[in-house]
Amino acid sequence: MAAAKLRHRMGRFLEIAPALGPWPRIYSTSPAFADVLRLPQKQLTKVVYPLRELEQYLVADSRAGLIERKLFDPSFEDIGRAESIFAATARNRIEYLSSAVRLDHAPSLQQPEVCFIGRSNVGKSSLIKALFSLAPDVEVRISKKPGHTKKMNFFKVGKHFTLVDMPGYGYRAPEDFVDMVEAYLKERNNLKRTFLLVDSAVGITNLDNIAIEMCEEFALPYVMILTKIDKSSKGYLLKQVLQIQKFVNTQTQGCFPQLFPISAITYSGVHLLKCFIADITGSLK
Ligand code: GDP
């Protein structure tokens, strides 16, 4: 079982970690993650694998088919390597490239691309800022007012991939939003994965359903991220996760069967998400 295997692996790592001191391969590229690895076990699990606490309930509900396939289960070493991909250096430039209001204004790029979509105020800018926390020169605007992101914003992550921040949909979204997003999702040839953000405190809304239907209609591989998990009690979060996991299992075809719960405030789940992005863009090779 993936959970048991990982617990075992983590337990062993924690036994040897103090003896090793900072893990040289990881420390040399990402001191921030080396600090995370020094957290007490419970906190470490919560920050790196936020789903772990809830997993026993998902597995316990396996008769309902909640967890059928193997989960994304990277080693700490892979998570550390992914951290270095998201860390800006002279040789690994992470920078804002350009913005576009229409697909034909989008930069023409060969490298793999991932995009982030979600309704306004779901926490998209905060998450992208958290993903780029080791690239302090990258400016990601965080809105005070819902609906300010009206363009597709392209960010280059070294030679590895491009990350695209799509305009938030919903309240005061630009009129041509659907046209813009739809054209991008349908036609962007180098798009490897779409990350669809859902507010864990709110659940899947009608607006989210429109985006889900779009991904399904275009047969896109997409991943559901549950934002703001720090806002809810463990019990409420579990209820939401179970409900959304059931939805993913029964109502979707293209959605990755593992949810990614995250908090941009506590950074819970952010390292795991970085590793997943690095993995699916082929950056860990
Ligand atoms: P966007 O419109 O989707 O880009 O959303 P923002 O990133 O601007 O966030 C909308 C609001 O939610 C802001 O007030 C953020 O401070 C808040 N927020 C974003 N992420 C989190 C989170 O992980 N936890 C909590 N508690 N609040 C968050």
Side-chain angles (χ1 to χ4, degrees), residues 119-127 142-143 147 149 227-231 262-265:
R119 64 173 178 77
S120 303
N121 221 34
V122 72
K124 188 160 52 64
S125 319
S126 305
L127 171 59
I142 299 199
S143 59
T149 317
T227 62
K228 308 187 190 180
I229 58 169
D230 59 285
K231 273 177 84 175
I262 61 105
S263 163
I265 306 278

Side-chain angles (χ1 to χ4, degrees), residues 103 106 113-115 152 154 164 166 179-191 194:
L103 182 59
E113 200 156 279
V114 294
C115 77
M152 307 183 256
F154 292 78
V164 189
M166 299 297 278
D179 292 344
M180 189 198 303
V181 175
E182 199 172 290
Y184 173 88
L185 295 179
K186 213 168 164 175
E187 292 168 36
R188 191 73 171 169
N189 291 331
N190 55 336
L191 178 62
T194 298

Side-chain angles (χ1 to χ4, degrees), residues 193-229:
R193 205 65 50 110
T194 298
F195 291 90
L196 196 157
L197 278 61
V198 170
D199 189 330
S200 67
V202 177
I204 296 173
T205 64
N206 289 341
L207 281 169
D208 297 325
N209 263 319
I210 295 174
I212 292 168
E213 277 166 23
M214 233 190 258
C215 293
E216 290 287 328
E217 190 188 328
F218 305 147
L220 294 173
Y222 64 104
V223 179
M224 221 178 271
I225 294 178
L226 307 184
T227 62
K228 308 187 190 180
I229 58 169

